[in-house]
Amino acid sequence: MSKMHVKMTVNGKPVEGLAEPRTLLIHFLREDLNLTGPHIGCDTSHCGACTVDLDGKSVKSCTVFVAQANGAEVTTIEGIANPDGTLHALQEAFREHHGLQCGFCTPGMITRAHRLLQENPNPTEAEIRMGISGNLCRCTGYQNIVKSITAAAEQLASMKEAAE
Amino acid sequence: MNDQTPTAVERAEKLQGLGSKRKRVEDARFTQGKGNYVDDIKLPGMLFGDFVRSPYGHARIKSIDKAAALAVPGVVAVLTAEDLKPLNLHYMPTLAGDVQAVLADEKVLFQGQEVAFVVAENRYVAADAVDLVEVDYEQLPAINDPFKAMDADAPVLREDIKDKMEGAHGPRKHVNHIFTWEVGDKDAAHKAISEAEVVAEEMISYQRVHPCPLETCGCVASMDKINGKLTIWGTFQAPHAVRTVASLITNIPEHNIRIISPDIGGGFGNKVGVYPGYICSAVASIVTGVPIKWIEDRIENLTSTAFARDYHMKGRISATSDGKITGLDCHVLADHGAFDACADPTKFPAGFFNICTGSYDIPAAHVTVDGVYTNKAPGGVAYRCSFRVTEASYFIERMVDVLARKLDMDPADLRLKNFIKKEQFPYTSVLGWEYDSGDYETALDKAMKTVDYTGLRAEQKANREAFDRGETRKLMGIGVAFFTEIVGAGPVKNCDILGLGMFDSCEIRIHPTGSAIARLGTISQGQGHATTFAQILASEIGIPADMITIEEGDTDTAPYGLGTYGSRSTPVAGAATAMAGRKIRAKAQMIAAYLLEVHEDDLEWDVDRFQVKGNPESHKTMAELAFASYNQAIPGLEPGLEAVSYYDPPNMTYPFGAYLCVLDIDVDTGVTDVRRFYALDDCGTRINPMIIEGQVHGGLTEALAIAMGQEIAYDEIGNVKGATLLDFYLPTAVETPAWETDYTVTPSPHHPIGAKGVGESPNVGGVSAFSNAVNDAFAHKGLTHTQMPHDHWRVWKTAEKLGLNG
């Protein structure tokens, strides 16, 4: 099958490659760019392990063709940490509040939470639960994930306040 | 001593040993997307394997035409059973003493069965070629109902063993019969029941479900032809056992096989078994000379690798009219699917199902289990539980509730009346287990007081009256469940898998500067071993947990062990860790005696050092002793500070707990809202309370999924009725309630640190609590038992049958 030339910005860096048009974004990220943070947990867009940020929206990258991401801005878990290399408040909070166990859902979960907190910086527990309902976790029972996201939201708010 | 000298308490805190809510060392990698799961592995020249699978539940293969698939550019090979036969690899041994087709030989026996293995340059080309392999089938009648498997006119499923009427567990009664297992005194149990004042009888079915970890199964097999070494990275919960099995079936010497379990994205029992994908990948790598990757997709995972449960339990329980249980009888029909690939210790074809007297002092009991073949996927793994313990616990907890209805007694009172008493431990049950320790009454009392059980029952009474007056359409259910697990298999004298004794191991090396590495025979799949095993060791040898590396999963470096499942890591490998630590300490004591010029007996251990009795100023810390072991010639002692322990536990451990669930059911929609869930766990000594709590949250959520929606169902011709995450229920954050956790501590008397294991308890106890609550909601309307899963439709049907939503 003939390949197309794709270009996009991933985690702030311009990238390009040749890919069959049917190639899924998740496979391009994992196999061509070696960004193995986002995972594949189902074939049907239910689990959310492959969640990445595409032009400011959370998408399940198993359901996006790389062709659709041509020219886009993509952020994966590998691009969530602060520019100085320190961990983002969400990454710290997940560690602090035991928001992960096997770690397989974690990259998608944190990437989704990262977008959620931009959409709604001060979510209620119910809003967090609804906001991450496209991301499945089999280990934690979500309780500590919700706690982690709540703590990160508070941390980000106090950082913002301190900056102002 | 001046004020700057840290006290023993301060030094102990610095260790982050037993009881510390230590943060996980695993998390820095995982939160940054730097885990290393099997699908992340990429080797030069690697090809990708994919299966052609059966669309039928039962069919004869008339022909397989590979030509069109082989013509696709990028396709390297297409393997079928004919290609594996010369290697004698078309069948493989199962963990249960049966054989399983690696690639279908003449017949397919379940939908999704592996028929051919395509090897191609990438997963897209492999998938294209899978579609082009032409298989001509002749469909045959299928068996989907285990109760019809042994009918006189039932179709013969396993032609390969149709004349072999002596099975791995005794004589077979029918071509589709696998084994009969019997435990207990039949005459005594039947006599108790026939003479009893009250007898309750019920058919309790536990539906077929699937562990469904978020990461599916897979492997990368790489045969290095130059040095003759086969390395397989894979989703293995028992890497050492996989190595031995691989050696036995391929005849490759065991030292030339290296099995590596990298990070594993959840297991829950799904990754215990040996699957055709592993064998085909290894064969393909040997044939092609390049590495082969095989990764299941989700549908393949749910339809071909390791289901759980599918137990149909007919029970009778008897009691005096004032509620003293006198007898229990149970017959189980076990649906094992097309091949008997149960993951149970060899002598236990129904696992530890004979723990089914539960937490109660029952004077007479009898159990029989019949396993049968059907046209369904093989498996029968312990989905987040010890071998068949969830089935046993669900059975007894439902039966006790059914008996309570019949006696018109409160289910909590009936439990309290029949508990094994604290002073009876160690307690030997009539079905043969020796319970190590327990204090059930204290646990249930604490649970009932915390939730205000009396108040809840009063609220329920008011709710029922309001419902009858037409003021509400919701019914309140209260589920009481108590469980006793049996975990930590196990003593080698009665527990083995394929002849391999179920001990486990730990090897410790102390470095000269006082840090350490410990390697174990287990493998974490999210339990946090790298964090908690270092805590056990920190308390034993006085080196801070942060200075101890824990390594597992590589058979070339880790000591031999039977792996992680059945909550055995803490009871067995955790014990090995403590014992190896004590060997380190014993040697360190000899070094300290030499350096301090005193007799060993004049020394005492104090947190992180040996000190002279009565003169604590004269001491040597473990770090000092470690250095001395490398730089001093000590008469009579070898240099270095290392130890290994292979631990064969004297008994299993028996964690227990009391769970209470409160829910509201909308009778018009069947929607069930879990309002409150309280879980009290007693897992003995608590290593890391933060991790225990996390394990309980996760296990309860899996229990919720099972009780309220999970089912792998088949239609009459063997089609799986839905095998994606659209159909198979995994709760999201929205359906999952908030969990309340609590604990009591009753240490195991035989475990070196008194720990019992906890990861699986919430699944074992949780399912009963949810199901008891749903049944309880309708109890006053005459319901005694309704089958799981309690999804909206089934709950609505129950309400309809009781005439509540007309």
Side-chain angles (χ1 to χ4, degrees):
Chain A
M1 200 172 284
S2 64
K3 294 189 173 179
M4 64 179 287
H5 186 206
V6 288
K7 291 168 96 167
M8 63 190 85
T9 305
V10 178
N11 299 330
K13 289 182 195 139
V15 299
E16 56 187 302
L18 291 173
E20 289 181 19
R22 65 174 176 170
T23 303
L24 298 172
L25 178 58
I26 185 69
H27 289 138
F28 183 73
L29 293 170
R30 288 178 51 83
E31 290 174 12
D32 292 69
L33 303 183
N34 293 319
L35 293 169
T36 54
H39 296 134
I40 303 167
C42 71
D43 336 308
T44 47
S45 301
H46 288 98
C47 82
C50 64
T51 302
V52 301
D53 215 64
L54 180 77
D55 285 338
K57 281 187 179 144
S58 293
V59 298
K60 293 179 176 175
S61 61
C62 73
T63 320
V64 176
F65 290 119
V66 68
Q68 292 171 284
N70 202 4
E73 293 252 359
V74 176
T75 306
T76 70
I77 185 68
E78 288 90 344
I80 297 286
N82 299 318
D84 64 358
T86 57
L87 293 189
H88 184 272
L90 273 163
Q91 292 169 313
E92 285 287 6
F94 269 66
R95 194 185 80 85
E96 184 65 26
H97 298 284
H98 193 25
L100 65 149
Q101 291 181 25
C102 81
F104 200 76
C105 78
T106 311
M109 195 68 83
I110 290 180
T111 309
R112 170 60 200 141
H114 188 245
R115 175 53 51 195
L116 173 68
L117 292 186
Q118 290 174 72
E119 293 161 353
N120 180 357
N122 186 25
T124 62
E125 179 181 337
E127 286 168 342
I128 292 173
R129 286 184 179 269
M130 185 54 83
I132 59 167
S133 62
N135 293 70
L136 298 174
C137 171
R138 293 287 288 145
C139 297
T140 65
Y142 304 104
Q143 193 150 323
N144 287 343
I145 292 179
V146 173
K147 206 166 153 186
S148 304
I149 296 172
T150 307
E154 285 165 8
Q155 170 71 13
L156 289 168
S158 68
M159 281 160 61
K160 197 177 163 204
E161 206 170 286
E164 279 167 1
Chain B
M1 201 180 284
N2 66 45
D3 291 337
Q4 304 303 311
T5 310
T7 64
V9 173
E10 286 164 350
R11 283 185 280 124
E13 267 175 25
K14 218 176 126 196
L15 296 179
Q16 294 193 288
L18 291 183
S20 164
K21 292 183 179 178
R22 183 181 186 220
K23 304 301 173 204
R24 299 201 332 160
V25 296
E26 295 89 343
D27 294 356
R29 288 190 300 120
F30 292 149
T31 55
Q32 297 180 74
K34 299 294 182 195
N36 183 36
Y37 303 88
V38 66
D39 200 12
D40 300 342
I41 293 165
K42 198 168 166 182
L43 300 176
M46 189 172 77
L47 301 175
F48 203 93
D50 200 354
F51 279 112
V52 176
R53 293 178 180 273
S54 169
Y56 296 111
H58 193 196
R60 198 168 300 286
I61 297 174
K62 294 166 77 178
S63 65
I64 301 177
D65 186 350
K66 312 174 182 179
L70 284 169
V72 175
V75 172
V76 175
V78 178
L79 301 177
T80 64
E82 293 307 311
D83 301 302
L84 298 181
K85 278 181 187 174
L87 306 166
N88 202 26
L89 285 176
H90 57 309
Y91 278 92
M92 62 179 183
T94 69
L95 298 179
D98 194 1
V99 292
Q100 177 178 347
V102 174
L103 290 172
D105 181 27
E106 297 175 16
K107 276 206 339 185
V108 286
L109 290 160
F110 66 95
Q111 188 178 57
Q113 187 177 345
E114 301 81 358
V115 174
F117 190 68
V118 171
V119 179
E121 66 185 17
N122 65 46
R123 65 182 90 209
Y124 288 77
V125 175
D128 289 343
V130 162
D131 284 348
L132 293 172
V133 175
E134 289 216 18
V135 186
D136 191 9
Y137 295 98
E138 175 195 344
Q139 201 175 349
L140 299 168
I143 301 174
N144 86 330
D145 180 353
F147 288 93
K148 293 179 182 164
M150 291 198 284
D151 283 356
D153 59 348
V156 177
L157 304 191
R158 292 288 300 281
E159 288 174 2
D160 59 313
I161 55 164
K162 69 176 189 296
D163 300 321
K164 192 182 161 215
M165 295 309 286
E166 186 65 24
H169 306 286
R172 304 197 298 135
K173 297 188 280 207
H174 184 280
V175 284
N176 297 328
H177 179 245
I178 308 170
F179 67 87
T180 300
W181 192 56
E182 184 171 7
V183 196
D185 185 336
K186 182 179 178 180
D187 294 340
H190 287 194
K191 184 166 180 285
I193 292 166
S194 66
E195 292 173 356
E197 291 166 347
V198 180
V199 178
E201 192 168 342
E202 196 55 70
M203 178 75 201
I204 312 280
S205 272
Y206 198 142
Q207 76 274 17
R208 176 174 280 239
V209 292
H210 194 283
C212 196
L214 202 57
E215 176 201 38
T216 59
C217 298
C219 72
V220 175
S222 179
M223 183 70 192
D224 180 337
K225 289 207 167 171
I226 293 171
N227 61 25
K229 188 146 186 168
L230 175 65
T231 303
I232 308 177
W233 292 260
T235 47
F236 305 125
Q237 289 182 232
H240 296 274
V242 168
R243 185 186 71 189
T244 302
V245 172
S247 176
L248 291 173
I249 65 179
T250 60
N251 290 321
I252 297 172
E254 201 165 351
H255 73 284
N256 270 341
I257 300 177
R258 181 181 186 187
I259 303 294
I260 301 173
S261 296
D263 289 326
I264 295 182
F268 317 123
N270 182 221
K271 293 165 180 171
V272 170
V274 174
Y275 299 124
Y278 306 150
I279 310 280
C280 289
S281 301
V283 169
S285 182
I286 292 166
V287 170
T288 61
V290 295
I292 306 292
K293 179 185 277 189
W294 164 73
I295 305 289
E296 283 181 320
D297 66 28
R298 179 57 61 192
I299 294 170
E300 292 177 298
N301 177 250
L302 288 173
T303 54
S304 69
T305 50
F307 79 92
R309 325 296 193 229
D310 221 342
Y311 256 36
H312 308 278
M313 305 170 280
K314 190 161 178 53
R316 288 186 300 159
I317 188 165
S318 61
T320 59
S321 56
D322 63 348
K324 185 78 189 105
I325 299 172
T326 58
L328 179 73
D329 183 48
C330 178
H331 177 260
V332 182
L333 186 69
D335 184 340
H336 284 224
F339 304 95
D340 185 16
C342 268
D344 290 314
T346 306
K347 294 182 190 118
F348 298 91
F352 305 152
F353 185 80
N354 55 330
I355 192 74
C356 67
T357 50
S359 313
Y360 312 103
D361 185 17
I362 300 181
H366 174 246
V367 169
T368 49
V369 182
D370 277 299
V372 296
Y373 292 119
T374 61
N375 289 110
K376 301 179 191 174
V381 294
Y383 170 6
R384 202 170 184 145
C385 72
S386 194
F387 314 101
R388 300 293 187 187
V389 174
T390 304
E391 290 92 326
S393 185
Y394 182 64
F395 169 73
I396 186 66
E397 287 304 293
R398 282 300 306 132
M399 287 306 291
V400 167
D401 260 28
V402 170
L403 178 64
R405 304 282 174 255
K406 190 128 188 178
L407 289 162
D408 198 23
M409 248 179 108
D410 185 278
D413 291 341
L414 182 58
R415 284 174 171 83
L416 286 165
K417 187 166 184 133
N418 288 282
F419 273 154
I420 301 163
K421 305 277 181 256
K422 189 180 174 183
E423 56 276 12
Q424 287 176 278
F425 292 93
Y427 169 86
T428 303
S429 75
V430 286
L431 295 180
W433 296 115
E434 188 188 302
Y435 293 40
D436 61 348
S437 63
D439 183 357
Y440 300 164
E441 204 174 320
T442 300
L444 186 54
D445 268 345
K446 187 176 183 186
M448 288 167 70
K449 286 198 180 95
T450 309
V451 301
D452 183 17
Y453 184 73
T454 314
L456 285 171
R457 285 293 177 197
E459 186 188 342
Q460 183 183 47
K461 187 166 177 281
N463 159 261
R464 287 173 174 179
E465 287 162 6
F467 183 90
D468 289 342
R469 288 194 301 270
E471 292 166 12
T472 177
R473 298 296 293 153
K474 287 189 177 172
L475 284 175
M476 175 178 169
I478 303 169
V480 180
F482 201 93
F483 67 90
T484 298
E485 264 239 273
I486 170 172
V487 306
V492 170
K493 64 176 187 271
N494 60 359
C495 287
D496 71 272
I497 285 185
L498 294 176
L500 303 167
M502 295 180 74
F503 59 85
D504 225 290
S505 59
C506 176
E507 179 201 281
I508 305 168
R509 295 181 193 176
I510 313 292
H511 306 315
T513 52
S515 62
I517 181 165
R519 297 188 168 107
L520 295 92
T522 43
I523 176 70
S524 188
Q525 307 126 39
Q527 296 91 336
H529 290 179
T531 304
T532 51
F533 285 132
Q535 290 182 245
I536 295 176
L537 210 44
S539 285
E540 291 292 338
I541 63 174
I543 290 177
D546 283 347
M547 291 171 72
I548 302 169
T549 299
I550 300 291
E551 223 181 70
E552 302 174 302
D554 182 341
T555 59
D556 263 11
T557 57
Y560 204 99
L562 268 282
T564 295
Y565 44 86
S567 272
R568 64 186 300 284
S569 296
T570 295
V572 193
T577 304
M579 296 310 272
R582 287 170 196 184
K583 289 182 185 178
I584 295 278
R585 214 162 80 185
K587 185 170 178 185
Q589 187 166 1
M590 292 188 242
I591 300 170
Y594 174 79
L595 296 176
L596 295 167
E597 298 181 349
V598 293
H599 191 275
E600 277 172 51
D601 294 346
D602 294 329
L603 292 170
E604 61 186 1
W605 176 254
D606 183 50
V607 183
D608 57 353
R609 62 191 58 183
F610 279 104
Q611 62 193 24
V612 176
K613 286 178 188 167
N615 181 18
E617 293 294 302
S618 181
H619 66 257
K620 289 286 173 191
T621 65
M622 183 56 89
E624 290 168 330
L625 296 168
F627 197 67
S629 76
Y630 283 89
N631 76 350
Q632 299 242 358
I634 299 171
L637 281 185
E638 289 180 2
L641 195 50
E642 301 189 2
V644 61
S645 169
Y646 286 83
Y647 188 80
D648 178 12
N651 189 6
M652 281 177 261
T653 61
Y654 296 75
F656 60 91
Y659 289 1
L660 282 151
C661 172
V662 184
L663 49 75
D664 300 296
I665 293 174
D666 183 326
V667 296
D668 295 318
T669 60
V671 171
T672 300
D673 180 29
V674 177
R675 186 203 305 178
R676 186 167 187 193
F677 197 102
Y678 168 89
L680 180 148
D681 276 276
D682 191 321
C683 60
T685 302
R686 290 156 60 84
I687 300 167
N688 183 326
M690 177 192 83
I691 285 183
I692 290 172
E693 194 175 84
Q695 290 288 307
V696 174
H697 291 169
L700 290 175
T701 307
E702 291 192 349
L704 172 82
I706 292 168
M708 302 313 221
Q710 289 191 347
E711 184 176 26
I712 300 281
Y714 286 78
D715 73 7
E716 283 174 6
I717 56 170
N719 293 308
V720 182
K721 297 201 284 184
T724 70
L725 296 189
L726 179 66
D727 317 279
F728 189 72
Y729 179 49
L730 301 186
T732 74
V734 173
E735 296 92 47
T736 305
W739 308 112
E740 290 172 58
T741 58
D742 204 346
Y743 63 95
T744 54
V745 178
T746 311
S748 168
H750 64 78
H751 187 280
I753 62 165
K756 290 187 170 185
V758 74
E760 302 173 334
S761 294
N763 197 330
V764 172
V767 174
S768 310
F770 289 114
S771 190
N772 283 352
V774 170
N775 280 285
D776 180 73
F778 296 110
H780 63 303
K781 297 292 180 188
L783 181 72
T784 47
H785 176 75
T786 181
Q787 305 291 5
M788 289 193 293
H790 305 299
D791 55 29
H792 301 169
W793 185 81
R794 282 185 177 86
V795 172
W796 179 84
K797 283 297 279 185
T798 299
E800 191 198 32
K801 274 188 205 156
L802 295 169
L804 302 180
N805 53 7

